[in-house]
Amino acid sequence: MSIKKEETSLDDKKGIYEIGYFLVSSIPEEKIAQAANSLKEIILSKKAVVISEENPEKRPLAYPISKKIGSKNFKFTEGYFGWIKFEVGTEDIISIKKFFDTNEDIMRFLLISTVKDN
């Protein structure tokens, strides 16, 4: 009886990531949960497993941030900060980052590679 060793490719590798984000303060407060859920759904669509998360809360910014929305520039002095920690295939993290880069509801975000335990 021989044991066949399975080959693993880069496509099979998974990483642990955390993304912290600021949503623009122009989103009505009653729609923040919906906006945050749409971000989580994009991550889950890549077959990610959410480890932990914090729903966005309104916070003042340390300095004003300009964000181009459509053809206009807007300045924000506060935003809704939230974060999601998840495990996903390393090949999918690029498309998640592209989505966050192009989403007009996101003022800023930071994506880091991390460990599963806090």
Side-chain angles (χ1 to χ4, degrees):
M1 177 182 195
S2 68
I3 298 174
K4 186 177 181 182
K5 187 176 184 181
E6 287 187 34
E7 291 184 29
T8 59
S9 67
L10 281 177
D11 294 342
D12 297 336
K13 291 191 177 192
K14 292 193 179 261
I16 308 291
Y17 301 93
E18 188 171 326
I19 191 158
Y21 57 88
F22 267 104
L23 296 173
V24 294
S25 59
S26 59
I27 300 172
E29 195 151 345
E30 62 273 4
K31 294 190 177 186
I32 289 299
Q34 179 183 349
N37 199 36
S38 70
L39 300 178
K40 185 177 171 182
E41 290 299 319
I42 290 298
I43 291 169
L44 291 173
S45 72
K46 302 297 181 184
K47 299 180 182 163
V49 176
V50 173
I51 298 168
S52 59
E53 64 183 304
E54 184 176 307
N55 290 326
E57 294 180 7
K58 194 175 234 182
R59 297 189 182 176
L61 302 175
Y63 53 89
I65 294 178
S66 294
K67 168 78 176 174
K68 188 172 186 173
I69 301 174
S71 62
K72 294 185 176 184
N73 282 327
F74 294 89
K75 272 196 175 174
F76 296 96
T77 57
E78 58 186 8
Y80 295 94
F81 177 75
W83 57 268
I84 303 171
K85 187 177 202 177
F86 57 97
E87 181 176 17
V88 71
T90 53
E91 74 282 355
D92 292 319
I93 198 64
I94 293 169
S95 62
I96 291 171
K97 182 185 177 306
K98 281 183 184 176
F99 173 80
F100 275 73
D101 276 334
T102 59
N103 189 313
E104 289 187 344
D105 289 341
I106 298 172
M107 193 179 340
R108 294 272 168 90
F109 73 95
L110 178 66
L111 176 66
I112 60 170
S113 178
T114 186
V115 295
K116 198 168 198 168
D117 297 325
N118 286 338

